[in-house]
Amino acid sequence: MAMKDYSDEFRADAVALYESTPGATYKSIAADLGVNRATLREWVLRDRDRRGVTAAVARPGSRPGEAVPSADPDERVLQLEARVAELEASERKLATERDILRRAAKYFRRDELVRSRFQFVDDHRNTQEVKRLCQVLDVNRSSYYKWLAGAEARAARQCEDRILAGKIREVHGESGGAYGSPRVSAELRAKGLRVNEKRVARVMRTFSITGIRLRRRVRTTVPDPAVPPVPDLFQRDFTATEPGRKYMGDITYLPLAGGGFLYLATVLDCFSRKVVGWSIADHMRTGLVADALRMAASTRGRLDGAVFHSDHGAQYGSRSFADLCDQLGVTRSMGSVGTSADNAACESFHASLKRETLQGARDYGDSATCRRTVFAWLTRYNTRRRHSANGHVSPDEYEHRHHTAKLTLAA
């Protein structure tokens, strides 16, 4: 809707815009300004009358609207004054546009660019015309009004997002800052909240709730070229239909303050990704991986008939480890030399462990603190940590559901 009352400055600018635009018509300029054609014509004629200038007559070969210089010195002065007024009006227009763009710069943020432009128009609509603001910022005026009409619904969504962010922070804190949007979503759903993972991811981005990224790892796999070959029985298939049938193991380093290391060997069940055995020591000798396998046998009760997969580290290829596997009834399997993908599940497990326990720190401190921290995470991993391979339930819960289903079918 057009304004009913126009300021003197607005009228002067409107007249100057008409007089300074070659080939302009009252209709085109009035449409740009959002005023009535007759109103604009009245302002122009009144301004010319005030300055004593009659409508300019185009001279042959001249541009439309270009005034013919008068021979009368007084008339010439009036014409020059009118030209100066036009230039000043044009300068004011350009200055206004520059000022709009300067103030709007802080609103322009990548994925929220269009919404921020609308917000800028809304913030400055009392000092500038909405039409002018939309023109300078290159946004559609009808889209702005549509955005404005949705303000109430938008405010309600923002309020809901803040409430959801509080619940996300609670889950994120309980996980030690480790969970990303998939596990946070699963935890919220387990608590009875119906929520979409994409929305959780968006809210986490908006409120800067993030996981932890891992540093470059240290090499722990040192193959022994003298050991006899062991076949790859997994062929990169890290799944199992029953617990206790397929296991996988690996070694990772645990950095300490001062540049030292402890080393962790683990044994994971391929069915549920449960860590059934582990060992921590200040060395990478065969005893490290042997202790982890013995713990797995103790946890499961027996390993007879199972397959154990590892990389080509010298510890796993040693004679003493082979004898232990024979003693426990375990068949060995090894991936290709130098191919981390052949033991990817263990690599991923260790990456998660260090990402979620170090939380961006360079080391664990002293060895005692390191052992306590890793022990706490390993036990919590089995009992509470949601695993994506298990449909976002913990390894213990996943195995429990499997056993319950089997008993139900047997009954």
Side-chain angles (χ1 to χ4, degrees):
M1 181 181 292
M3 295 185 298
K4 298 299 182 182
D5 297 317
Y6 299 93
S7 66
D8 293 338
E9 182 178 0
F10 180 89
R11 296 180 185 184
D13 288 344
V15 171
L17 179 62
Y18 171 82
E19 297 281 24
S20 62
T21 304
T25 63
Y26 289 121
K27 182 177 179 180
S28 63
I29 298 300
D32 287 342
L33 297 175
V35 301
N36 186 274
R37 174 187 175 281
T39 301
L40 175 62
R41 181 174 181 277
E42 180 183 356
W43 292 346
V44 172
L45 295 178
R46 189 180 301 169
D47 181 77
R48 288 176 176 174
D49 184 67
R50 178 185 61 81
R51 293 184 288 115
V53 177
T54 58
V57 179
R59 67 172 113 164
S62 66
R63 292 177 301 171
E66 183 177 354
V68 178
S70 174
D72 184 356
D74 292 336
E75 182 67 19
R76 179 61 174 163
V77 170
L78 291 175
Q79 289 180 343
L80 291 175
E81 287 177 348
R83 181 57 179 163
V84 169
E86 292 171 3
L87 294 175
E88 289 177 345
S90 177
E91 177 63 24
R92 284 196 301 271
K93 177 184 175 184
L94 293 174
T96 299
E97 292 180 354
R98 286 196 300 269
D99 185 57
I100 289 172
L101 292 173
R102 178 182 58 78
R103 285 180 288 167
K106 66 179 181 180
Y107 286 73
F108 296 171
R109 297 187 180 91
R110 293 176 302 206
D111 58 334
E112 298 182 354
L113 180 59
V114 173
R115 190 182 70 180
S116 296
R117 288 179 178 183
F118 290 156
Q119 187 62 58
F120 177 83
V121 173
D122 196 54
D123 289 345
H124 296 80
R125 60 184 303 183
N126 293 328
T127 58
Q128 298 287 341
E129 286 183 277
V130 169
K131 182 179 178 66
R132 174 61 66 192
L133 291 168
C134 290
Q135 286 176 339
V136 173
L137 298 181
D138 193 26
V139 296
N140 190 288
R141 187 165 40 157
S142 62
S143 297
Y144 159 71
Y145 284 118
K146 183 178 180 180
W147 174 88
L148 191 62
E152 185 175 344
R154 190 164 53 252
R157 286 195 299 270
Q158 290 172 351
C159 181
E160 292 171 357
D161 285 350
R162 285 192 293 271
I163 295 173
L164 178 59
K167 296 177 180 179
I168 290 173
R169 285 196 179 96
E170 182 180 348
V171 172
H172 192 253
E174 289 174 355
S175 72
Y179 280 5
S181 58
R183 291 190 176 91
V184 168
S185 302
E187 189 71 31
L188 291 173
R189 285 192 287 264
K191 292 183 177 183
L193 183 65
R194 296 183 62 183
V195 65
N196 183 279
E197 183 185 325
K198 290 183 178 180
R199 184 187 175 199
V200 170
R202 175 179 60 78
V203 172
M204 291 181 71
R205 286 194 303 270
T206 301
F207 290 87
S208 301
I209 305 173
T210 59
I212 306 150
R213 291 174 173 79
L214 189 64
R215 298 177 181 277
R216 185 172 62 90
R217 69 185 187 91
V218 172
R219 185 187 183 198
T220 55
T221 302
V222 183
D224 185 347
V227 301
V230 176
D232 182 357
L233 303 179
F234 271 35
Q235 295 297 318
R236 301 188 182 182
D237 178 10
F238 302 106
T239 62
T241 57
E242 294 283 338
R245 292 186 177 180
K246 294 169 66 177
Y247 296 96
M248 50 189 170
D250 198 5
I251 303 173
T252 191
Y253 75 101
L254 304 172
L256 303 176
F261 296 98
L262 289 181
Y263 299 92
L264 169 69
T266 53
V267 179
L268 276 69
D269 192 307
C270 291
F271 174 75
S272 62
R273 305 299 170 90
K274 178 174 181 175
V275 54
V276 294
W278 70 81
S279 178
I280 301 176
D282 59 0
H283 62 80
M284 285 199 300
R285 295 189 292 273
T286 302
L288 176 69
V289 297
D291 287 344
L293 191 62
R294 291 190 185 98
M295 179 180 174
S298 176
T299 300
R300 288 305 196 193
R302 57 192 290 273
L303 297 180
D304 192 38
V307 177
F308 176 78
H309 183 82
S310 68
D311 57 27
H312 277 264
Q315 304 87 348
Y316 295 110
S318 66
R319 181 69 263 170
S320 60
F321 187 75
D323 291 342
L324 176 62
C325 288
D326 292 340
Q327 178 186 336
L328 296 174
V330 173
T331 301
R332 290 189 299 157
S333 169
M334 284 187 176
S336 304
V337 176
T339 305
S340 60
D342 285 354
N343 204 20
C346 274
E347 299 271 357
S348 175
F349 170 80
H350 288 153
S352 296
L353 182 152
K354 285 190 278 190
R355 181 176 63 249
E356 296 178 14
T357 53
L358 283 173
Q359 299 191 3
R362 293 183 177 275
D363 57 69
Y364 289 95
D366 57 35
S367 60
T369 302
C370 177
R371 288 176 183 273
R372 287 195 303 269
T373 302
V374 173
F375 171 78
W377 189 89
L378 290 171
T379 53
R380 187 181 183 280
Y381 169 89
N382 283 337
T383 59
R384 294 189 59 193
R385 186 183 182 277
R386 297 180 181 275
H387 203 297
S388 58
N390 298 338
H392 290 298
V393 298
S394 69
D396 280 355
E397 176 64 19
Y398 190 69
E399 291 192 1
H400 173 72
R401 293 183 183 184
H402 175 75
H403 291 313
T404 301
K406 285 186 64 177
L407 291 174
T408 302
L409 290 174

